[in-house]
Amino acid sequence: MDAIIVVDMQIGLLNGPPKHNLQGVVKHINLLTTMVRGRSGKVIWIRHCGKPGDGFERDTEGWSFLPELDRHPDDVVVEKTLNDSFVRTELQNTLVQMALDRVIVTGWATDSCVDSTIRSAISNDHHVVVVSDAHTVSDRPHMDAAAVIRHHHWVWSDLLTNHSVRIATTGELLDEAAV
């Protein structure tokens, strides 16, 4: 069974510079969550709970998930206050109870919350699949968003782990599920 983790895809991410291929990322996340549900897997939405006054403050508009996302009542929501979705949350306990084959990771932001979540999933001995076209970031002062994403794919593909780390496209995962 698979679990897909969708990191911080909330209205607050619309603040600031544009996010790389955001509409494509949302489309891919919706396709993947449908695939995972169709194979009796679990969809886990990570919600960042920001500090008072920031764009992700609890119970503000920015705290809400993007309305374009296809969320279901039986999906799991895990709230976090740090970059890492595992720290001081129930995420690891939730994953352990599922008898997973792999954890699929998507979301925002490639170089912080997505990266931290991938590294913790690896450290917690999960097989991880990073969906190369289902995470996003803004341009950074020293590097454009596409380069940030390429760099992280390179880093993630060479991490030391007890299990596997795979970089795959949405299309590859959908094709494999169709077999």
Side-chain angles (χ1 to χ4, degrees):
M1 173 172 58
D2 292 337
I4 183 168
I5 298 173
V6 183
V7 180
D8 297 350
M9 293 297 289
Q10 297 161 251
I11 292 174
L13 74 82
L14 300 175
N15 296 327
K19 307 320 178 249
H20 179 75
N21 189 29
L22 181 59
Q23 291 312 308
V25 168
V26 168
K27 176 184 170 191
H28 293 150
I29 289 170
N30 285 337
L31 289 168
L32 292 164
T33 56
T34 298
M35 175 197 78
V36 167
R37 286 187 202 100
R39 297 172 53 106
S40 300
K42 203 62 171 169
V43 177
I44 303 172
W45 301 93
I46 305 298
R47 180 182 353 235
H48 185 74
C49 299
K51 296 176 183 173
D54 79 10
F56 294 87
E57 181 179 352
R58 184 183 301 277
D59 298 322
T60 66
E61 182 183 17
W63 181 72
S64 300
F65 290 107
L66 292 171
E68 308 94 316
L69 293 168
D70 181 23
R71 295 183 53 246
H72 288 200
D74 59 339
D75 294 345
V76 174
V77 175
V78 173
E79 294 189 343
K80 69 177 183 62
T81 57
L82 301 171
N83 291 339
D84 188 335
S85 301
F86 285 82
V87 174
R88 294 188 213 131
T89 73
E90 288 299 312
L91 182 56
Q92 176 62 6
N93 291 335
T94 301
L95 295 173
V96 167
Q97 293 173 12
M98 292 181 187
L100 295 172
D101 296 317
R102 62 187 181 174
V103 175
I104 301 168
V105 182
T106 66
W108 176 74
T110 301
D111 58 353
S112 57
C113 298
V114 171
D115 180 57
S116 297
T117 300
I118 289 166
R119 290 170 186 263
S120 280
I122 290 165
S123 295
N124 282 287
D125 286 328
H126 296 289
H127 292 283
V128 175
V129 177
V130 179
V131 188
S132 62
D133 55 3
H135 61 92
T136 188
V137 69
S138 301
D139 289 346
R140 299 303 189 213
H142 63 289
M143 192 181 302
D144 67 33
V148 172
I149 291 167
R150 281 192 313 274
H151 171 76
H152 279 79
H153 291 167
W154 175 80
V155 169
W156 296 329
S157 67
D158 198 35
L159 291 173
L160 299 176
T161 176
N162 293 324
H163 295 288
S164 62
V165 179
R166 177 179 172 211
I167 313 295
T169 65
T170 299
E172 289 169 337
L173 295 175
L174 294 173
D175 288 348
E176 291 167 8
V179 174

